[in-house]
Amino acid sequence: MDNFPFALQEHSSLSNAGFDNMTASTWRKIGIITLVHLGFVAFWWVGVIVTDVPAYILPTPWQALQTLQVENFNWWLHFNTTAQEVFGGYILAVIVGVAFAVLFSWFRTANLILMPLLVTLNMIPKVAMAPLFIVWLRFGIETNIVITFTICFFPILLNTDRGMKEVEPDLLDLVRSLHGSRWQIFAKIQLPGALPYIFSGMKVATVLAVAGAIVGEFIQSDRGLGWFMLVTQEALNTDAMVMALLLVTLIGVLLYGAVLLLERIFVVQDARVE
Amino acid sequence: MAKPFISLKNVRKVYRTKEVEFEALSDVTMEVGNGELVCLVGPSGCGKSTLLRVLAGLHPHDGGEVVIGNSEVPFNPRKDIGMVFQQPLLLKWRRVVENVLLPAEILGLPRKEARERAMYLLNMVGLSGFEDQYPYQLSGGMQQRAAIARALIHDPKLILMDEPFGALDALTREKMNLELLDIWQKSQKTILFVTHGIQEAVFLGTHVAVMSPSPARLADYFAIDLPHPRGLDIKTHENFGAYTRRIYKLLGM
Ligand SMILES: Nc1ncnc2c1ncn2[C@@H]1O[C@H](COP(=O)(O)OP(=O)(O)OP(=O)(O)O)[C@@H](O)[C@H]1O
Ligand SMILES: [Mg+2]
């Protein structure tokens, strides 16, 4: 086990790798991304004005933004609730998914027995599990965390599992010819080698995480942006609904951004799985 | 030959899968002296890589005798093997110097000294200044040099090279050949070098072992009696042509 600190330090020594190349082209990329988004908002805004759609069908971005001022909409509570569900379920899925994949690579029989079952379970539409979870656990933040977790778990597990298997046999031979331990193979070769795959699974899971939390809230809840959308729908408060949608998206973007940042820190450019 | 460093007697190796048994080595007998550079040639699939794997202790052999080391030059199978493959197999997430240090880490060698030695070796293989680059920033030839430095970091007594220059272009390959001879002369290591290049085998080797397929055994084993240190001009030496013809003949060409 004495190698573990070393393996960790090995990653921190990379921490500059991603930032070294914050060059002109990176800034240009950021500029383009910003412009495209502003362009989209402008397109929406102009479109609403030109076509003269009524606000209850589609409000302008400004009208949507203004709903933030309505105090009894309790925006912060709902945003916070959904964010907790998204981040909570997601982080749990990353931890458990990676842990499972690691165990699978250590115990081949576990892999042999459990993997086919997991592949089948993965076929269950996770969204359809949500009503059951609510029956079992009652509705609430924790239940929605479980729903989010269930959705995010599989892509992370399966990607990590694939990454752990993706080791050059000759490289293993090289380590074995020096009588390297299994732990050394894991800490120095398998895990860092699987990191790009872990991140690619994590990126897929970000989208699912937001969907999971919202579905949970749609089915039964008393707070959160999903619940809020249902309530405002009944009142035909389309501007508030759109604002809620924007905030849900914001949560997803924050999550995705955090994952990209971590990837930049931990994965050398060339090894990233795009 | 006084005391062989490697002594193989009637070595046999059978690969077993569920249905079939495949005899990859039938009967290999050879002796390699300490500090020799033996080139192993033979048609594809005749068991060259298998022989290296048996020597590296990666595959148990099914018959015969494998002895490495002697009373003067003891051999520790845990740390006296360096390996180089056709692909550099550098770890993408490690800088060049950290890649070179991998075997030292696995063996738990003192870090400071290992680092100094890594710098020395990188200089020797012509990579000083590239220590802190990542593998993707290096050309194929440079990556392979780093792989050679990695094979030397723990100062092993035996280096096993499996078509190390097979993936390089002809010009780089010639350069690497010259450098390998240089490294070999400086380090005085015993090297087993698998190649498909017959010219390369004669150019590099103190000895050449020609393997034949089914039954997989040595068709011939002979010393290359050309002077060292060798330069490219050795290829015009009259004996050079004789050696290459001898090998071509053995391979049925
Ligand atoms: N792990 C294995 N299991 C079963 N058969 C194997 C295994 N490894 C190699 N073989 C078989 O053993 C034979 C010798 O293989 P080996 O890799 O030693 O040949 P080689 O001389 O190195 O060939 P090449 O020049 O193409 O690299 C081949 O026919 C191959 O199919
Ligand atoms: Mg081979």
Side-chain angles (χ1 to χ4, degrees):
Chain A
M1 299 300 257
D2 55 349
N3 283 299
F4 197 59
F6 188 80
L8 285 179
Q9 181 214 333
E10 179 173 310
H11 287 145
S12 63
S13 76
L14 297 176
S15 51
N16 296 324
F19 293 110
D20 282 347
N21 34 25
M22 277 295 260
T23 50
S25 83
T26 314
W27 287 114
R28 214 178 70 185
K29 237 186 192 165
I30 293 173
I32 291 173
I33 292 171
T34 316
L35 276 179
V36 169
H37 284 75
L38 289 177
F40 174 76
V41 173
F43 175 76
W44 166 14
W45 203 327
V46 171
V48 170
I49 290 170
V50 169
T51 56
D52 206 18
V53 225
Y56 69 86
I57 301 288
L58 185 64
T60 62
W62 182 244
Q63 284 168 329
L65 264 178
Q66 274 182 326
T67 61
L68 285 179
Q69 290 176 343
V70 181
E71 250 170 57
N72 58 5
F73 277 171
N74 263 329
W75 285 108
W76 181 242
L77 170 76
H78 301 309
F79 181 83
N80 211 6
T81 303
T82 306
Q84 278 180 40
E85 293 164 357
V86 170
F87 278 82
Y90 182 83
I91 291 169
L92 204 62
V94 172
I95 294 169
V96 179
V98 171
F100 261 66
V102 166
L103 289 177
F104 279 1
S105 84
W106 283 347
F107 305 104
R108 213 175 284 170
T109 32
N111 191 341
L112 213 69
I113 293 167
L114 290 177
M115 210 46 170
L117 179 64
L118 283 166
V119 169
T120 309
L121 290 180
N122 186 29
M123 289 297 148
I124 300 176
K126 258 69 66 185
V127 172
M129 292 282 293
L132 268 177
F133 280 126
I134 289 171
V135 169
W136 293 334
L137 304 170
R138 300 230 169 76
F139 73 87
I141 294 187
E142 295 78 11
T143 309
N144 287 342
I145 286 178
V146 172
I147 294 169
T148 307
F149 163 82
T150 316
I151 293 194
C152 296
F153 171 73
F154 288 96
I156 291 169
L157 170 77
L158 295 175
N159 268 283
T160 309
D161 182 68
R162 190 175 141 222
M164 304 287 289
K165 286 175 179 153
E166 203 89 343
V167 184
E168 287 282 350
D170 281 346
L171 198 58
L172 283 184
D173 279 351
L174 189 141
V175 178
R176 288 196 186 119
S177 76
L178 299 166
H179 296 258
S181 64
R182 268 183 91 180
W183 173 256
Q184 286 175 323
I185 290 174
F186 171 72
K188 291 182 191 298
I189 294 175
Q190 265 190 308
L191 187 61
L195 220 47
Y197 293 87
I198 296 177
F199 273 103
S200 114
M202 281 169 69
K203 283 192 238 173
V204 172
T206 50
V207 184
L208 303 173
V210 182
I214 295 298
V215 164
E217 291 178 359
F218 274 180
I219 293 171
Q220 198 178 358
S221 60
D222 56 5
R223 65 192 66 183
L225 292 168
W227 174 84
F228 179 78
M229 283 182 81
L230 291 185
V231 173
T232 46
Q233 184 207 24
E234 275 171 31
L236 221 61
N237 269 338
T238 314
D239 45 1
M241 281 176 68
V242 169
M243 192 58 227
L245 193 62
L246 289 176
L247 289 177
V248 171
T249 311
L250 178 66
I251 292 173
V253 169
L254 287 177
L255 182 61
Y256 193 69
V259 173
L260 283 187
L261 187 71
L262 285 175
E263 188 184 35
R264 261 185 173 267
I265 293 171
F266 286 115
V267 183
V268 177
Q269 189 177 23
D270 178 58
R272 288 177 203 150
V273 178
E274 296 298 339
Chain B
M1 202 188 299
K3 277 183 184 167
F5 180 63
I6 301 174
S7 163
L8 304 178
K9 274 198 201 95
N10 310 110
V11 173
R12 203 173 98 92
K13 167 73 199 167
V14 179
Y15 284 117
R16 291 185 181 81
T17 48
K18 273 197 192 82
E19 300 87 35
V20 281
E21 291 200 347
F22 184 84
E23 192 174 59
L25 297 175
S26 310
D27 181 4
V28 175
T29 299
M30 71 192 245
E31 290 190 342
V32 176
N34 188 40
E36 290 179 354
L37 198 171
V38 177
C39 290
L40 208 56
V41 297
S44 183
C46 70
K48 303 181 293 294
S49 301
T50 304
L51 186 59
L52 290 200
R53 270 160 221 279
V54 167
L55 285 167
L58 295 167
H59 290 335
H61 51 288
D62 298 281
E65 203 180 300
V66 177
V67 181
I68 310 179
N70 57 40
S71 51
E72 276 147 43
V73 193
F75 174 82
N76 181 343
R78 299 188 75 84
K79 52 179 193 203
D80 274 338
I81 290 199
M83 296 187 89
V84 184
F85 301 91
Q86 186 168 7
Q87 300 304 324
L89 301 176
L90 300 177
L91 302 171
K92 292 181 197 175
W93 56 90
R94 285 181 174 223
R95 295 170 196 275
V96 170
V97 63
E98 294 164 341
N99 262 293
V100 172
L101 283 168
L102 180 72
E105 284 170 23
I106 288 167
L107 295 171
L109 305 181
R111 291 189 70 179
K112 191 158 163 287
E113 283 104 85
R115 214 179 163 81
E116 274 162 21
R117 184 168 162 80
M119 293 310 229
Y120 163 77
L121 288 171
L122 282 170
N123 184 37
M124 184 166 93
V125 299
L127 282 182
S128 52
F130 293 94
E131 299 88 357
D132 290 329
Q133 305 271 40
Y134 285 98
Y136 75 95
Q137 295 168 304
L138 268 51
S139 73
M142 290 160 86
Q143 291 189 25
Q144 201 56 293
R145 284 170 216 226
I148 291 172
R150 177 179 62 188
L152 293 166
I153 184 73
H154 50 301
D155 205 16
K157 301 209 171 93
L158 175 61
I159 314 253
L160 304 172
M161 305 180 98
D162 200 345
E163 300 181 48
F165 308 143
L168 302 178
D169 65 275
L171 203 65
T172 313
R173 193 168 176 158
E174 299 257 302
K175 265 194 206 150
M176 298 291 288
N177 279 341
L178 288 166
E179 281 172 29
L180 178 68
L181 279 181
D182 197 41
I183 291 167
W184 169 70
Q185 230 135 21
K186 278 184 192 150
S187 60
Q188 291 297 317
K189 307 229 173 268
T190 309
I191 299 181
L192 246 70
F193 185 100
V194 171
T195 175
H196 280 125
I198 285 150
Q199 306 250 344
E200 186 173 66
V202 176
F203 179 69
L204 291 176
T206 58
H207 297 74
V208 171
V210 184
M211 280 183 78
S212 71
S214 51
R217 57 161 57 109
L218 288 198
D220 202 355
Y221 185 83
F222 52 92
I224 302 292
D225 200 6
L226 294 170
H228 281 274
R230 292 176 189 168
L232 288 175
D233 52 336
I234 204 94
K235 295 194 180 184
T236 53
H237 197 286
E238 55 180 320
N239 290 347
F240 192 91
Y243 285 124
T244 53
R245 275 195 297 281
R246 179 167 174 183
I247 299 172
Y248 277 121
K249 214 180 207 167
L250 284 162
L251 297 174
M253 292 195 279

